[in-house]
Amino acid sequence: MGGRFSWGRRLGCVVAASLVALMHAAPDTSAHPSHAAAAVSCAGTNTISFSPGLSPAPQRTRIGGSGAYSCLSTDPALGSGESSISGGGWNGCFFSDATTVERITWNTGEQTTVVYHVGTVQQVAGQAVVLIVGRVVKGKFKGRTVASPGLQLTLDPLKCASKGGVELITGPSTLVIV
């Protein structure tokens, strides 16, 4: 039980820290009243691949993947989105310094491109707890801040130390646009 409590507590701290960072990084919407009510909160899953696979020591990697979300928004027409994820940088099982681009296509047909420059990947009980913060650079919600905390499962925590490393993580994720 103690390990599970510690893991949940760490995840809660990571999510809480992400939301605090998100609120401090949020743009001032008073100059853009038409965007003031455009916040979106989504829950879904992401699958991310790393080439080469993640190992204990950081190395240059390429990142690819996809996401699918169900959303709540002040825009009643917006209810879901699917995304493609790409990027690269220095990544390892305990460290991440990468730039990632997520291209989201909403159920309305509109698109959003998010660039994530700030990110942390923490290994908790052998699983990747991911927190990335970025900015919408194109499309719907342009200029808005985005946070995407989630728990991606390596499915085989010992694989990090293996020759090929962790090539794929998947699991629940959130997408918060303010």
Side-chain angles (χ1 to χ4, degrees), residues 7-104:
W7 176 85
R9 188 171 172 185
R10 276 193 183 181
L11 179 59
C13 290
V14 168
V15 171
S18 70
L19 294 176
V20 168
L22 180 62
M23 294 320 235
H24 287 300
D28 179 9
T29 58
S30 61
H32 305 285
S34 63
H35 295 295
V40 179
S41 179
C42 303
T45 59
N46 282 339
T47 298
I48 309 295
S49 63
F50 298 93
S51 179
L54 300 178
S55 63
Q59 60 185 333
R60 272 218 172 276
T61 58
R62 295 178 57 95
I63 300 169
S66 62
Y69 304 100
S70 294
C71 306
L72 294 174
S73 173
T74 54
D75 175 355
L78 196 147
S80 64
E82 293 187 5
S83 71
S84 64
I85 300 164
S86 62
W90 287 90
N91 293 289
C93 289
F94 306 101
F95 174 84
S96 177
D97 183 10
T99 298
T100 308
V101 177
E102 184 171 21
R103 290 176 180 85
I104 306 163

Side-chain angles (χ1 to χ4, degrees), residues 101-119:
V101 177
E102 184 171 21
R103 290 176 180 85
I104 306 163
T105 302
W106 304 106
N107 65 296
T108 60
E110 297 168 289
Q111 296 186 335
T112 297
T113 301
V114 181
V115 174
Y116 300 100
H117 291 293
V118 177

